[in-house]
mmCIF file of all heavy atoms in Angstrom:
data_model
loop_
_atom_site.group_PDB
_atom_site.id
_atom_site.type_symbol
_atom_site.label_atom_id
_atom_site.label_comp_id
_atom_site.label_asym_id
_atom_site.label_seq_id
_atom_site.Cartn_x
_atom_site.Cartn_y
_atom_site.Cartn_z
ATOM 1 N N LEU A 31 -1.594 12.426 13.557
ATOM 2 C CA LEU A 31 -0.898 11.165 13.313
ATOM 3 C C LEU A 31 -0.526 10.997 11.838
ATOM 4 O O LEU A 31 0.571 10.541 11.531
ATOM 5 C CB LEU A 31 -1.769 9.972 13.741
ATOM 6 C CG LEU A 31 -1.423 9.378 15.105
ATOM 7 C CD1 LEU A 31 -1.734 10.324 16.226
ATOM 8 C CD2 LEU A 31 -2.142 8.057 15.322
ATOM 9 N N PHE A 32 -1.450 11.337 10.949
ATOM 10 C CA PHE A 32 -1.256 10.930 9.560
ATOM 11 C C PHE A 32 -1.107 12.080 8.569
ATOM 12 O O PHE A 32 -0.866 11.831 7.389
ATOM 13 C CB PHE A 32 -2.388 9.981 9.132
ATOM 14 C CG PHE A 32 -2.449 8.741 9.982
ATOM 15 C CD1 PHE A 32 -3.503 8.515 10.847
ATOM 16 C CD2 PHE A 32 -1.420 7.808 9.942
ATOM 17 C CE1 PHE A 32 -3.544 7.390 11.651
ATOM 18 C CE2 PHE A 32 -1.448 6.682 10.745
ATOM 19 C CZ PHE A 32 -2.510 6.464 11.596
ATOM 20 N N VAL A 81 -1.220 2.100 10.788
ATOM 21 C CA VAL A 81 -0.825 1.806 12.171
ATOM 22 C C VAL A 81 -0.586 3.161 12.834
ATOM 23 O O VAL A 81 0.126 4.004 12.277
ATOM 24 C CB VAL A 81 0.488 0.989 12.259
ATOM 25 C CG1 VAL A 81 0.921 0.824 13.712
ATOM 26 C CG2 VAL A 81 0.338 -0.380 11.605
ATOM 27 N N GLY A 82 -1.174 3.375 13.979
ATOM 28 C CA GLY A 82 -0.957 4.638 14.672
ATOM 29 C C GLY A 82 -1.010 4.444 16.167
ATOM 30 O O GLY A 82 -1.828 3.665 16.669
ATOM 31 N N VAL A 83 -0.120 5.137 16.869
ATOM 32 C CA VAL A 83 -0.131 5.112 18.338
ATOM 33 C C VAL A 83 -0.278 6.563 18.803
ATOM 34 O O VAL A 83 0.405 7.463 18.273
ATOM 35 C CB VAL A 83 1.166 4.465 18.886
ATOM 36 C CG1 VAL A 83 1.243 4.598 20.403
ATOM 37 C CG2 VAL A 83 1.236 2.998 18.470
ATOM 38 N N ARG A 88 3.642 6.679 22.981
ATOM 39 C CA ARG A 88 4.674 6.132 22.071
ATOM 40 C C ARG A 88 5.911 5.630 22.810
ATOM 41 O O ARG A 88 6.142 5.969 23.948
ATOM 42 C CB ARG A 88 5.067 7.206 21.055
ATOM 43 C CG ARG A 88 3.923 7.413 20.085
ATOM 44 C CD ARG A 88 4.313 8.259 18.897
ATOM 45 N NE ARG A 88 3.095 8.510 18.123
ATOM 46 C CZ ARG A 88 2.891 9.553 17.352
ATOM 47 N NH1 ARG A 88 3.843 10.457 17.208
ATOM 48 N NH2 ARG A 88 1.754 9.702 16.705
ATOM 49 N N ARG A 89 6.682 4.831 22.111
ATOM 50 C CA ARG A 89 7.931 4.227 22.600
ATOM 51 C C ARG A 89 7.700 3.358 23.838
ATOM 52 O O ARG A 89 8.548 3.284 24.724
ATOM 53 C CB ARG A 89 9.001 5.308 22.897
ATOM 54 C CG ARG A 89 9.451 6.114 21.684
ATOM 55 C CD ARG A 89 9.792 5.295 20.451
ATOM 56 N NE ARG A 89 10.998 4.516 20.491
ATOM 57 C CZ ARG A 89 12.178 4.920 20.018
ATOM 58 N NH1 ARG A 89 12.304 6.121 19.495
ATOM 59 N NH2 ARG A 89 13.214 4.135 20.056
ATOM 60 N N ARG A 90 6.546 2.717 23.867
ATOM 61 C CA ARG A 90 6.262 1.757 24.938
ATOM 62 C C ARG A 90 5.977 0.386 24.363
ATOM 63 O O ARG A 90 5.433 -0.476 25.052
ATOM 64 C CB ARG A 90 5.059 2.245 25.767
ATOM 65 C CG ARG A 90 5.441 3.363 26.707
ATOM 66 C CD ARG A 90 4.280 4.210 27.204
ATOM 67 N NE ARG A 90 3.049 3.532 27.526
ATOM 68 C CZ ARG A 90 1.924 4.177 27.871
ATOM 69 N NH1 ARG A 90 1.907 5.503 27.950
ATOM 70 N NH2 ARG A 90 0.830 3.507 28.142
ATOM 71 N N GLY A 91 6.284 0.204 23.069
ATOM 72 C CA GLY A 91 6.110 -1.106 22.454
ATOM 73 C C GLY A 91 4.717 -1.364 21.900
ATOM 74 O O GLY A 91 4.430 -2.465 21.423
ATOM 75 N N ILE A 92 3.851 -0.341 21.941
ATOM 76 C CA ILE A 92 2.462 -0.556 21.508
ATOM 77 C C ILE A 92 2.383 -0.718 19.983
ATOM 78 O O ILE A 92 1.674 -1.592 19.472
ATOM 79 C CB ILE A 92 1.559 0.589 22.017
ATOM 80 C CG1 ILE A 92 1.522 0.553 23.549
ATOM 81 C CG2 ILE A 92 0.147 0.495 21.422
ATOM 82 C CD1 ILE A 92 1.053 1.817 24.209
ATOM 83 N N GLY A 93 3.145 0.087 19.262
ATOM 84 C CA GLY A 93 3.176 -0.051 17.792
ATOM 85 C C GLY A 93 3.624 -1.447 17.397
ATOM 86 O O GLY A 93 3.050 -2.074 16.495
ATOM 87 N N ALA A 94 4.645 -1.955 18.073
ATOM 88 C CA ALA A 94 5.173 -3.292 17.757
ATOM 89 C C ALA A 94 4.117 -4.364 18.005
ATOM 90 O O ALA A 94 3.939 -5.277 17.194
ATOM 91 C CB ALA A 94 6.425 -3.554 18.598
ATOM 92 N N ASN A 120 9.539 8.819 6.930
ATOM 93 C CA ASN A 120 8.994 8.352 8.223
ATOM 94 C C ASN A 120 9.915 7.274 8.806
ATOM 95 O O ASN A 120 9.677 6.074 8.689
ATOM 96 C CB ASN A 120 7.575 7.812 8.028
ATOM 97 C CG ASN A 120 6.867 7.557 9.349
ATOM 98 O OD1 ASN A 120 7.494 7.528 10.408
ATOM 99 N ND2 ASN A 120 5.566 7.373 9.290
ATOM 100 N N ALA A 122 10.629 6.579 11.943
ATOM 101 C CA ALA A 122 10.103 5.816 13.088
ATOM 102 C C ALA A 122 9.335 4.598 12.590
ATOM 103 O O ALA A 122 9.546 3.472 13.073
ATOM 104 C CB ALA A 122 9.195 6.709 13.932
ATOM 105 N N ALA A 123 8.453 4.804 11.615
ATOM 106 C CA ALA A 123 7.631 3.686 11.121
ATOM 107 C C ALA A 123 8.505 2.649 10.396
ATOM 108 O O ALA A 123 8.309 1.447 10.557
ATOM 109 C CB ALA A 123 6.539 4.211 10.204
ATOM 110 N N LYS A 125 11.574 1.895 11.012
ATOM 111 C CA LYS A 125 12.291 1.122 12.053
ATOM 112 C C LYS A 125 11.351 0.116 12.707
ATOM 113 O O LYS A 125 11.719 -1.037 12.977
ATOM 114 C CB LYS A 125 12.832 2.077 13.121
ATOM 115 C CG LYS A 125 13.988 2.928 12.648
ATOM 116 C CD LYS A 125 15.281 2.489 13.349
ATOM 117 C CE LYS A 125 16.527 3.115 12.742
ATOM 118 N NZ LYS A 125 16.586 4.568 12.984
ATOM 119 N N LEU A 126 10.130 0.582 12.973
ATOM 120 C CA LEU A 126 9.117 -0.293 13.591
ATOM 121 C C LEU A 126 8.899 -1.529 12.717
ATOM 122 O O LEU A 126 8.914 -2.668 13.204
ATOM 123 C CB LEU A 126 7.813 0.495 13.739
ATOM 124 C CG LEU A 126 6.546 -0.279 14.087
ATOM 125 C CD1 LEU A 126 6.586 -0.723 15.544
ATOM 126 C CD2 LEU A 126 5.307 0.590 13.864
ATOM 127 N N LYS A 129 11.946 -3.866 12.532
ATOM 128 C CA LYS A 129 12.043 -4.656 13.754
ATOM 129 C C LYS A 129 11.043 -5.804 13.769
ATOM 130 O O LYS A 129 11.275 -6.841 14.390
ATOM 131 C CB LYS A 129 11.793 -3.753 14.971
ATOM 132 C CG LYS A 129 12.950 -3.762 15.933
ATOM 133 C CD LYS A 129 12.703 -2.901 17.122
ATOM 134 C CE LYS A 129 13.329 -3.557 18.348
ATOM 135 N NZ LYS A 129 13.198 -2.731 19.540
HETATM 136 C C1 LIG B 1 5.299 4.740 14.041
HETATM 137 C C2 LIG B 1 4.516 4.545 15.335
HETATM 138 C C3 LIG B 1 3.258 3.731 15.035
HETATM 139 C C4 LIG B 1 5.399 3.799 16.341
HETATM 140 O O1 LIG B 1 4.612 3.477 17.492
HETATM 141 P P1 LIG B 1 5.287 3.203 18.918
HETATM 142 O O2 LIG B 1 4.261 2.577 19.787
HETATM 143 O O3 LIG B 1 5.949 4.427 19.409
HETATM 144 O O4 LIG B 1 6.400 2.126 18.519
HETATM 145 P P2 LIG B 1 7.134 1.094 19.519
HETATM 146 O O5 LIG B 1 7.274 1.696 20.865
HETATM 147 O O6 LIG B 1 6.428 -0.217 19.422
HETATM 148 O O7 LIG B 1 8.554 0.994 18.833
HETATM 149 C C5 LIG B 1 9.009 -0.186 18.198
HETATM 150 C C6 LIG B 1 10.309 0.151 17.482
HETATM 151 O O8 LIG B 1 10.057 1.066 16.411
HETATM 152 C C7 LIG B 1 11.168 1.986 16.304
HETATM 153 N N1 LIG B 1 10.697 3.354 16.608
HETATM 154 C C8 LIG B 1 9.486 3.720 17.077
HETATM 155 N N2 LIG B 1 9.427 5.073 17.180
HETATM 156 C C9 LIG B 1 10.616 5.534 16.769
HETATM 157 C C10 LIG B 1 11.149 6.838 16.643
HETATM 158 N N3 LIG B 1 10.441 7.934 16.964
HETATM 159 N N4 LIG B 1 12.406 6.972 16.149
HETATM 160 C C11 LIG B 1 13.134 5.892 15.802
HETATM 161 N N5 LIG B 1 12.686 4.598 15.922
HETATM 162 C C12 LIG B 1 11.444 4.448 16.384
HETATM 163 C C13 LIG B 1 12.185 1.537 17.310
HETATM 164 O O9 LIG B 1 13.018 0.602 16.681
HETATM 165 C C14 LIG B 1 11.320 0.865 18.351
HETATM 166 O O10 LIG B 1 11.993 -0.051 19.133
HETATM 167 P P3 LIG B 1 12.759 0.469 20.470
HETATM 168 O O11 LIG B 1 11.819 1.357 21.208
HETATM 169 O O12 LIG B 1 13.091 -0.810 21.186
HETATM 170 O O13 LIG B 1 13.958 1.223 19.971
HETATM 171 C C15 LIG B 1 4.134 5.924 15.979
HETATM 172 O O14 LIG B 1 5.282 6.736 16.035
HETATM 173 C C16 LIG B 1 3.035 6.661 15.221
HETATM 174 O O15 LIG B 1 1.842 6.462 15.466
HETATM 175 N N6 LIG B 1 3.442 7.569 14.289
HETATM 176 C C17 LIG B 1 2.464 8.362 13.520
HETATM 177 C C18 LIG B 1 1.684 7.515 12.555
HETATM 178 C C19 LIG B 1 2.577 6.756 11.593
HETATM 179 O O16 LIG B 1 3.578 7.267 11.097
HETATM 180 N N7 LIG B 1 2.200 5.505 11.303
HETATM 181 C C20 LIG B 1 2.926 4.625 10.392
HETATM 182 C C21 LIG B 1 2.574 4.840 8.988
HETATM 183 S S1 LIG B 1 0.949 4.255 8.610
#
Side-chain angles (χ1 to χ4, degrees):
L31 260 67
F32 301 112
V81 175
V83 173
R88 289 191 186 153
R89 297 313 289 265
R90 284 160 39 186
I92 295 162
N120 191 346
K125 289 250 169 68
L126 168 73
K129 238 181 144 177

